[in-house]
């Protein structure tokens, strides 16, 4: 990958790193078009890390697209959360992500982006936390 390192995308609990085929390239293409830095606050997750998040009240879905070996969808990690800066930053990131077929979740401190449409039969969505 050109813009992101394995270190910033790996599971913080186990250090595991496994992206769905093509996701790293799609993330780089998004970053290239967005033309601004993107601080990843969450990338790959194992079940162990996801449960840790849930136990602390975070909205981490048991079927999250962040998961390595997602049993429900048969995918590896195909989602990241990006730190929000200001409203203009968020609006531009959301616009570019949607144009590149990413689904978008909007939270107070981060923007979730995933490529569910590329790896499942799910439609593109926009939602808020």
């Amino acid at each position: 990958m050109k813009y992101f390192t394995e270190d910033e995308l790996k599971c913080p609990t186990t250090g595991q790193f496994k992206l769905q085929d093509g996701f790293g390239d799609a993330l780089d293409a998004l970053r290239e078009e967005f033309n601004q830095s993107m601080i990843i606050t969450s990338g790959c997750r194992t079940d162990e890390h996801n449960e840790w998040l849930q136990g602390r009240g975070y909205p981490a879905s048991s079927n999250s697209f962040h998961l390595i070996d997602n049993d429900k969808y048969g995918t590896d990690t195909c989602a990241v959360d990006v730190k929000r800066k200001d409203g203009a930053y968020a609006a531009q990131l959301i616009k570019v992500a949607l144009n590149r077929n990413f689904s978008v979740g909007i939270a107070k401190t981060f923007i979730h982006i995933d490529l569910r449409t590329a790896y499942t039969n799910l439609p593109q969505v926009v939602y808020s936390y």
Side-chain angles (χ1 to χ4, degrees), residues 19-27 65 70 72-79 101-102 114-122:
L19 301 180
Q20 185 66 34
D21 288 342
F23 183 68
D25 292 336
L27 195 57
F65 288 105
N70 183 319
K72 181 170 183 178
Y73 297 111
T75 57
D76 286 312
T77 301
C78 59
N101 298 315
F102 283 85
D114 71 64
L115 270 182
R116 67 185 68 198
T117 57
Y119 305 114
T120 71
N121 59 357
L122 295 172

Side-chain angles (χ1 to χ4, degrees), residues 25-113:
D25 292 336
L27 195 57
D28 268 345
L30 171 90
R31 167 58 183 81
E32 182 85 26
E33 183 176 339
F34 182 49
N35 199 30
Q36 295 185 57
S37 65
M38 294 169 57
I39 297 171
I40 305 298
T41 60
S42 185
C44 297
R45 295 182 192 162
T46 57
D47 287 330
E48 179 184 5
H49 184 68
N50 216 48
E51 290 166 8
W52 182 89
L53 290 169
Q54 291 168 338
R56 282 153 183 76
Y58 292 98
S61 168
S62 297
N63 301 314
S64 173
F65 288 105
H66 287 274
L67 288 173
I68 295 169
D69 297 324
N70 183 319
D71 289 334
K72 181 170 183 178
Y73 297 111
T75 57
D76 286 312
T77 301
C78 59
V80 294
D81 294 339
V82 179
K83 182 178 180 179
R84 281 184 73 158
K85 293 181 182 176
D86 56 30
Y89 178 93
Q92 184 63 24
L93 178 57
I94 292 165
K95 177 183 174 185
V96 173
L98 289 173
N99 285 340
R100 294 197 148 274
N101 298 315
F102 283 85
S103 287
V104 175
I106 304 165
K108 190 174 191 170
T109 59
F110 66 90
I111 305 293
H112 167 94
I113 55 175

